[in-house]
DNA sequence: CTGTTAGCGCATTCAG
DNA sequence: CTGAATGCGCTAACAG
């Protein structure tokens, strides 16, 4: 279709002038610019991205790396980031890396990103040091959302505080034997949310004078079924558990299902608290630590844009989290769990 | 970093040979190919996509257009498509177009896609004729998921049958005053799911000898809050409604929240059925028409790949849907709704 | 089987 | 303020 030469010819100028005029660069007279713009519009001229990328080395594209798109946190971050990025004229290349225990995650290969993106956004993905290094080695701006190494630009919660507050809530209600459903810690880097939240969990227990017991922690794969399966296993192994803190709302809702499967009432026989503020949390009556994932995505995108623009940006943005108490948490009952353990199943 | 010339020099061949060897083209001796591959690996050579795009006119990239990523159906389709596409060496450019009633959707502008993608996947987005025409005008393979014009390659449910079966389920239970929460029909093209499901709804009523009443249909914006708000309005205007068919599970769960808000029990005072098979449907006890969104995304991606390869593909793939009955639907009760309408609020 | 030669379409020097 | 010339890195004929 119409190329830059066509526009140049039609406007009676050189391609260089067309290029300058169209990109709003200086050194073009108002009259010339107007004429060029008019001709470009008339001919429906659109620059070929690969040509301009080849010439400039820039792509106006951001690579977005994430484990999943079908999980509340990730979907919302992606949506926020995509909107912000596109408003600023950037495209988003989406790359998923399934991270469940059952799956062997494909390694992040920076090669595919080289010459393809102007910057990279890593959303909730636990990378090992090599991967981070190679990403940094791309020499392009890099930002993390949800979790990231200490020396990288990161937008996230204070996971330790969040885990601590959630657990504290359970402690305040009188619980002492509290289980914890984490995400996918196996392959995790020390800086991922499950790790921080687990630390907060341990700390709150410590504050309460309760001994931290690793056997009370199970992996939930960050989804409903994972939360259900791991909570089921936990409750079978430890019928004395009266409350569970899950690292995400989806796993928390899985925990509620597990309780139901085992004939335990929530919250009388089992209290459950999650993290996220999932849209369906209210329906499930789920107590949770609410966060704004969409905004985190949008803010991270903005940070990345500023970095690309050469600006200095804060090393990290920490988002607040807010306890919303609903029906899934309450004080432990005397007869509850034990009775259920005897009578259940 | 290392360019094709570096590899050529190191391997003692021309750049053309390197290009051929690396892409597995014929007319390269085994020995030469081995040597080139070795040198390329050693130098960590990666082709610059913009350069090869410029030369070939192909991008190995697919444009994925969708209203949202944070809705069950869309997230799952996107995930399925991305996985399938990447396995075949294609990248995915993600473009969202918010479609809620409250938002003015940005129009789909094919210009941004020109020279940027080898094909386009439209996921659950209702486009007007102009938009479809312009997308077709790109001259690149195009496929639709969830909804699409009759003359385009489409992967989807039989929406009429689905709406009909869902409504029939309610009719079979004895309901006669049945509301319907649609998606976003305003801007919709005639071929979007809400329209088809609504037709199925009307048809099932007709079969049952019940007069179709437009005042029983409300828009739910395809999300929880939308379903909740519209159902609330519906139940206030028509307290005689005993059942609701929602076009998506998220809206259905919103409907359950609305019932709860108004003091109506589900299913005694209000039966609710949705469409999707949302992960959290079981927790909510939601009766629904289950579909496999992930697979639809993956299959559509495969179709697109075949089209790009020049193969003939079926005009459309129709996915089955399956009724899963849970606790949210049941026979209407005599006293239920009326009593609630009198006593409620 | 392999090398040479031309572009692909645009951005950017550097003169003018 | 504008134009001519050069190159970004790779692929695709076409010779050989």
């Amino acid at each position: 279709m119409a190329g830059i030469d066509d526009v140049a010819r039609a406007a009676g100028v050189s391609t260089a002038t067309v290029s300058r005029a169209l990109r709003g660069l200086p050194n073009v007279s108002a009259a010339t610019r107007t004429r060029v713009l008019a001709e470009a519009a008339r001919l429906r001229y659109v620059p070929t991205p690969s040509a301009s990328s080849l010439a400039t080395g820039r792509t106006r594209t951001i690579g977005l790396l994430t484990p999943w798109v079908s999980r509340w946190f990730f979907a919302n971050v992606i949506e926020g980031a995509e909107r912000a990025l596109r408003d600023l004229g950037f495209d988003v290349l989406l790359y998923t890396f399934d991270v469940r225990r059952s799956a062997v995650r494909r390694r992040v290969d920076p090669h595919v990103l080289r010459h393809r993106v102007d910057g990279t956004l890593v959303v909730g993905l636990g990378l090992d040091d090599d991967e981070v290094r190679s990403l940094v080695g791309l020499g392009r701006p890099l930002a993390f959302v949800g979790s990231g190494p200490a020396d990288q630009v990161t937008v996230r919660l204070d996971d330790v505080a969040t885990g601590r507050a959630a657990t504290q809530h359970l402690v305040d209600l009188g619980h002492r034997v509290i289980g914890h459903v984490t995400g996918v810690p196996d392959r995790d880097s020390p800086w991922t949310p499950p790790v921080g939240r687990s630390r907060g969990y341990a700390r709150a227990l410590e504050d309460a004078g309760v001994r931290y017991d690793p056997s009370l922690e199970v992996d939930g794969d960050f989804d409903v079924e994972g939360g259900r399966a791991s909570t089921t296993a936990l409750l079978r192994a430890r019928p004395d558990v009266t409350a569970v803190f899950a690292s995400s709302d989806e796993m928390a809702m899985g925990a509620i299902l597990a309780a139901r499967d085992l004939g335990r009432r929530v919250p009388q026989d089992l209290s459950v608290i999650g993290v996220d503020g999932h849209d369906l949390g209210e329906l499930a009556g789920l107590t949770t630590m609410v966060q704004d994932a969409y905004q985190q995505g949008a803010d991270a995108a903005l940070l990345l844009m500023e970095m690309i623009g050469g600006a200095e940006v804060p090393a990290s943005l920490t988002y607040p989290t807010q306890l919303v108490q609903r029906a899934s948490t309450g004080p432990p009952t005397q007869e509850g769990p034990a009775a259920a353990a005897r009578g259940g199943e």
Side-chain angles (χ1 to χ4, degrees), chain A:
Chain A
M1 327 249 58
I4 198 173
D5 320 83
D6 300 308
V7 178
R9 209 172 304 122
V13 296
S14 73
T15 62
T17 299
V18 172
S19 179
R20 282 188 286 252
L22 258 31
R23 290 181 304 147
L25 297 186
N27 295 332
V28 180
S29 73
T32 305
R33 191 186 302 275
T34 307
R35 193 150 30 91
V36 170
L37 254 39
E39 289 305 319
R42 192 174 65 76
L43 298 171
R44 303 190 193 297
Y45 167 70
V46 184
T48 302
S50 46
S52 87
S53 290
L54 189 55
T56 62
R58 275 167 278 110
T59 61
R60 296 196 73 78
T61 300
I62 296 300
L64 177 6
L65 279 41
T66 184
W68 309 288
V69 357
S70 64
R71 302 268 197 286
W72 184 88
F73 176 76
F74 304 88
N76 280 278
V77 170
I78 293 169
E79 201 163 288
E82 195 272 347
R83 297 264 160 79
L85 254 10
R86 196 132 61 90
D87 283 345
L88 294 170
F90 275 71
D91 284 344
V92 174
L93 274 174
L94 179 68
Y95 299 94
T96 68
F97 297 84
D98 197 343
V99 145
R100 286 165 303 182
R101 282 169 310 189
S102 52
V104 173
R105 162 160 87 72
R106 126 168 46 195
R107 286 185 62 79
V108 171
D109 178 7
H111 291 174
V112 301
L113 295 179
R114 186 178 296 284
H115 294 147
R116 203 176 292 255
V117 301
D118 289 348
T120 306
L121 214 48
V122 179
V123 180
L125 192 55
L127 304 177
D128 63 36
D129 290 348
D130 272 357
E131 291 174 312
V132 173
R133 235 193 313 277
S134 66
L135 240 26
V136 170
L138 284 177
R140 306 256 146 171
L142 174 64
F144 291 77
V145 188
S147 63
D151 57 344
Q152 298 295 324
V153 172
T154 304
V155 175
R156 61 179 305 167
L157 307 181
D158 180 337
D159 288 302
V160 176
T162 300
R164 191 173 188 167
T167 309
Q168 185 64 48
H169 169 66
L170 298 173
V171 166
D172 289 345
L173 287 169
H175 296 277
R176 286 301 175 273
V177 185
I178 300 173
H180 178 36
V181 181
T182 69
V184 193
D186 325 58
R187 266 183 299 281
D188 272 357
S189 326
W191 39 264
T192 57
V195 177
R197 293 175 194 173
S198 167
R199 187 166 315 146
Y201 157 77
R203 202 158 296 171
L205 292 181
E206 187 179 304
D207 292 346
V210 175
R211 208 186 117 96
Y212 165 74
D213 176 355
S215 76
L216 290 174
E217 283 191 312
V218 291
D219 300 346
D221 263 9
F222 267 123
D223 64 4
V224 179
E225 278 315 310
R228 183 184 204 163
S230 59
T231 304
T232 299
L234 172 66
L235 294 179
R236 285 204 168 117
R238 295 291 303 264
D240 55 325
V241 166
T242 63
V244 164
F245 159 45
S247 230
S248 83
D249 277 358
E250 279 144 318
M251 294 191 294
M253 296 196 254
I256 293 178
L257 279 168
R260 184 185 298 175
D261 292 342
L262 297 175
R264 289 205 185 195
R265 294 163 301 163
V266 173
Q268 296 89 334
D269 306 329
L270 186 75
S271 281
V272 177
I273 182 170
V275 176
D276 275 347
H278 192 289
D279 313 49
L280 292 167
E282 181 181 354
L283 181 58
L286 182 65
T287 296
T288 188
M289 304 295 299
V290 174
Q291 66 170 322
D292 189 342
Y294 183 96
Q295 196 59 44
Q296 287 176 68
D299 282 356
L302 262 28
L303 281 186
L304 205 53
M305 295 292 90
E306 291 185 18
M307 292 165 78
I308 287 174
E312 283 299 308
V313 303
S316 84
L317 290 184
T318 302
Y319 268 65
T321 226
Q322 194 193 345
L323 173 67
V324 170
Q325 181 165 8
R326 290 196 280 239
S328 69
T329 52
T333 54
Q334 297 303 57
E335 4 70 75
R342 281 195 304 274
E345 301 185 52

